[in-house]
Amino acid sequence: MSDSSPLPPVRLHTEAELARDALSTPLLSRAARLARWAGPDTRVDAGGGLVDEQLPAAAEALGLSGDDAAADASEAWRVAVDAGLVEVVDEDEGTVTAGEDLALLTGGSPQDVLAVWLSAVETVLADASVPDLDGLVDEEGEVDLSALDWDPEGEAEFLDGVLGNLYLLTAGEDAPGAPVPLPALAASVIVPSDMGEPTNDVLEQVSDAMMRLDDQFRMLEPVGFVAYQPVDEALMADADEEPAAPVDDTDVSRYGMVRLTPLGLYGMRARLMEAGYAAPAVGDLADKGADALLDGTAQFPPGAAQAETEQWLQRRESLAAARELLAAARGSDAGAPLRRLRCQQALSLVGTSAEPALREVLDDPELGGLARVWLTEHGAVDVPAPSEAMVYWLTIDTVAAQLAAEGNSEELRALVEGLARQHGGFFDAVWRVEHPATADVLEAMGRLHPDKKVAKEARKAAFKARSQQGG
């Protein structure tokens, strides 16, 4: 991802809802319980970790049992320290006290709670980038790092890349929040985009990445960052072993499924913004002016653009909103046609009380056409017919906006074919339209129209238009 290109807008839950979700995550709730459990007799080692002798008592305080109880308690304690819920008072003595941020979980604002949760997430992400050190401890109890092929920075970048791709998939309008198969997610960061059929070496890398991600997502689930269905243990069994039950080899979910939770979506957006990415969220523009709304939603997908516009309109009286939108839609710059398209779409959401604003611009050369369209669609009477020049100007403006919004899409191709078919002598007349985008639109029509004769007419008209404009 390029930090200069805006990411798709995401739809976030309210901060109050997210804060409640954060407080109910297993890891943060355990960390808070341990912070309240700690007392004068609690002791930590030089790294701030709970001493081994006290881990059983900590696990008992959390109601944990089994082989992983001590490890889970240790992880919760580490989160408590890193998130400011516990503070080391004396490093030499190993004594602790409740941290200042502990009170925020019960008395702070939703933003305060989410800030604590984000600190917990960073601890887990750091831990998730560390490989399994089992089997690497030498006779003296030290970890033999020389036997470990580990690039800390590279591992962190790998996980960040995977989570970034998961964010893009979660933000998409096709299937927002749908679980993503683990093989597809791993392949998205391993397989080169220009590779047709992956080589055996690349497929092996994808398989290795899946196993790493399986461990990492298992760690990220207790902090509420992801919802994860792990890889089926049967897939990792010895090939000579008989499966315990019949398996469906076509079931992709057996290979792991993952999605960002609403809390994880919030957390990823916060991390991306901190890293310098433009990561919009629906609602960001609700308190901005109409110019910011029309420019900001220019490249939004349709659903997100409508949701953003609806929130903007909810804060304004219809007539005043319509006037503000129309004023912001004026202009002859390259972005003006798309602004007018977004304006037209926004005006479709306001009621008939906005009619006076549309009548005020009937004689405006840039807005008169869209005003007539709106008035007619809303059943207004005494709507003056547009001149031929206005019809052609609006046609050029509409195609220019579609080009800016969608590029050479199938919908635009159909529009171009329809215009050339329905209007006899279209190209003889349209090149004279005094619109900054006339030549560019005609050149695009020449590219898009499947009929070679019509395409040639469009290119000739584009040449005339550019000559007229002095270009």
Side-chain angles (χ1 to χ4, degrees), residues 29 37 51 53 72 74 77 87 102 136 176 179 213 226 256 258 269 271 276 288 340 363 368 381 400 415 430 434 441:
S29 61
W37 163 83
V51 295
E53 294 79 6
D72 290 343
S74 178
W77 179 265
E87 182 181 342
L102 180 60
L136 297 177
L213 289 172
V226 299
V258 64
R269 178 174 180 260
R271 299 185 79 244
K288 304 290 195 302
R340 282 186 282 273
D363 295 329
V381 297
L415 175 61
V430 78
E434 294 183 1
V441 165

Side-chain angles (χ1 to χ4, degrees), residues 450-465:
D451 187 297
K452 292 183 179 180
K453 181 180 178 181
V454 176
K456 184 176 181 180
E457 288 181 40
R459 289 193 294 271
K460 286 173 63 178
F463 177 78
K464 292 178 182 179

Side-chain angles (χ1 to χ4, degrees), residues 190-213:
I190 298 293
V191 181
S193 58
D194 58 352
M195 177 176 283
E197 190 71 22
T199 63
N200 288 336
D201 179 60
V202 168
L203 290 174
E204 186 175 344
Q205 292 179 47
V206 171
S207 180
D208 290 343
M210 286 173 56
M211 294 302 100
R212 287 154 60 197
L213 289 172

Side-chain angles (χ1 to χ4, degrees), residues 133-152:
L133 301 180
D134 289 347
L136 297 177
V137 180
D138 60 24
E139 295 178 356
E140 297 179 1
E142 300 292 330
V143 177
D144 182 12
L145 293 178
S146 63
L148 186 64
D149 181 17
W150 177 44
D151 174 10

Side-chain angles (χ1 to χ4, degrees), residues 321-336:
R323 286 181 172 136
E324 188 180 348
L325 286 165
L326 289 164
R330 289 190 175 95
S332 58
D333 57 285

